[in-house]
Amino acid sequence: MNVVIEIHYKADSRALQAGTFPLRGRKPEQVALEFWKQIKKEMSYHAVLEKILAFGDKDITQLVIDLEKEEWNKSMYDNLPF
């Protein structure tokens, strides 16, 4: 099954990037987070997330933000020496 992801963000101006991705057993928010990380990596300046839509109309923005925070927290606390 495939999912269509639309990411609306603000960088120098407002922008939209969209793509169709295979789920391969993953949740749409996991796929969207990977896509968002790819977009941020390619940007030469800071991008601010505005909205993420899956399947054309389902807003999954908060799910992706929560998943991103969870990954960040895990990476911060997994490397502690104690």
Side-chain angles (χ1 to χ4, degrees), residues 31-72:
V31 175
L33 178 57
E34 289 177 19
F35 187 31
W36 174 235
K37 286 179 181 179
Q38 178 185 345
I39 291 170
K40 290 194 306 183
K41 187 177 181 179
E42 294 172 357
M43 300 298 292
S44 59
Y45 39 86
H46 185 68
V48 177
L49 182 64
E50 289 188 330
K51 180 175 21 175
I52 300 178
L53 300 176
F55 302 108
D57 62 348
K58 184 178 177 188
D59 189 345
I60 61 169
T61 308
Q62 192 58 49
L63 294 172
V64 173
I65 290 170
D66 293 344
L67 188 58
E68 187 175 33
K69 284 180 184 177
E70 183 180 308
E71 281 188 5
W72 186 85

Side-chain angles (χ1 to χ4, degrees), residues 29 45 70 77 79:
E29 56 268 22
Y45 39 86
E70 183 180 308
Y77 296 115
N79 297 325

